[in-house]
C-alpha cells in the first residue's frame, strides 16, 4: 500500500455524509483498519472494468463511488438505496479508504472511467 494522503475538507465531507463508519477516518491511530477494509472489500482484476479497483464480487468501481458522492449532491438516502442493497455498507468505507491509501490509482481509474471529466482536485489536501 502507498502512504496515506492527507484527507481534504471535501473528502471529510464525503466520508461524514456517506460512510457507514466515519470515525475510522478521523484520524485513525494507524492505517491498519483502513488497510483491512481495502483488503476485505476491494480488488483489481484484469478484464473486469478494465482493471479498475472494484468492490469484490461486483462491477462497482471505486471511481463510480467517487463520481456519485464528490459533489455531495445525492442525499445519503438516495446513495444508500442505490448501493447498499448490493453491498455491505462497509464496502463504501473501503472505497474511501482506497482513495486515501492508493490516491494515484484512484485518480487514474477515475480519469480512465470518465475521460471527459478531470479528477476532482479538491478531494486531496494540498
Amino acid at each position: 500500500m502507498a502512504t496515506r494522503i492527507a484527507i481534504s475538507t471535501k473528502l471529510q465531507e464525503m466520508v461524514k455524509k456517506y460512510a457507514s463508519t466515519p470515525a475510522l477516518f478521523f484520524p485513525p491511530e494507524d492505517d491498519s483498519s483502513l488497510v483491512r477494509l481495502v483488503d476485505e472489500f476491494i480488488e483489481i482484476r484484469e478484464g473486469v472494468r478494465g482493471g479498475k479497483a472494484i468492490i469484490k464480487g461486483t462491477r462497482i468501481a471505486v471511481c463510480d463511488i467517487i463520481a456519485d458522492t464528490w459533489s455531495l449532491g445525492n442525499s445519503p438516502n438516495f446513495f444508500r438505496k442505490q448501493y447498499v442493497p448490493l453491498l455491505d455498507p462497509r464496502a463504501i468505507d473501503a472505497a474511501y479508504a482506497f482513495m486515501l491509501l492508493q490516491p494515484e490509482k484512484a485518480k487514474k481509474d477515475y480519469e480512465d472511467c470518465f475521460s471527459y471529466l478531470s479528477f476532482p482536485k479538491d478531494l486531496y489536501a494540498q
Side-chain angles (χ1 to χ4, degrees):
M1 284 281 165
T3 303
R4 183 180 200 254
I5 56 108
I7 190 167
S8 69
T9 302
K10 182 68 166 203
L11 191 50
Q12 286 179 30
E13 291 174 33
M14 289 167 60
V15 167
K16 287 176 184 175
K17 187 170 183 177
Y18 300 109
S20 66
T21 313
L24 289 173
F25 298 87
F26 302 113
E29 291 299 314
D30 61 54
D31 289 337
S32 62
S33 59
L34 299 179
V35 170
R36 281 192 300 276
L37 267 176
V38 170
D39 288 347
E40 184 176 354
F41 291 102
I42 306 294
E43 67 182 345
I44 299 169
R45 290 187 13 224
E46 193 171 318
V48 178
R49 292 293 304 266
K52 291 172 183 61
I54 59 171
I55 306 298
K56 287 182 179 178
T58 75
R59 294 181 54 79
I60 299 169
V62 170
C63 59
D64 297 329
I65 293 168
I66 296 169
D68 285 345
T69 62
W70 80 270
S71 72
L72 303 172
N74 291 323
S75 73
N77 286 336
F78 171 84
F79 181 75
R80 288 183 187 107
K81 285 178 186 176
Q82 181 174 350
Y83 286 108
V84 173
L86 305 171
L87 304 173
D88 180 319
R90 294 175 302 146
I92 305 302
D93 296 359
Y96 290 127
F98 184 85
M99 290 171 58
L100 289 171
L101 297 170
Q102 296 285 335
E104 292 304 316
K105 176 67 171 153
K107 180 181 180 193
K108 180 186 180 314
D109 286 359
Y110 185 92
E111 290 176 346
D112 287 350
C113 193
F114 303 104
S115 59
Y116 53 94
L117 296 173
S118 294
F119 186 78
K121 292 177 181 21
D122 58 351
L123 288 183
Y124 296 130
Q126 300 300 324

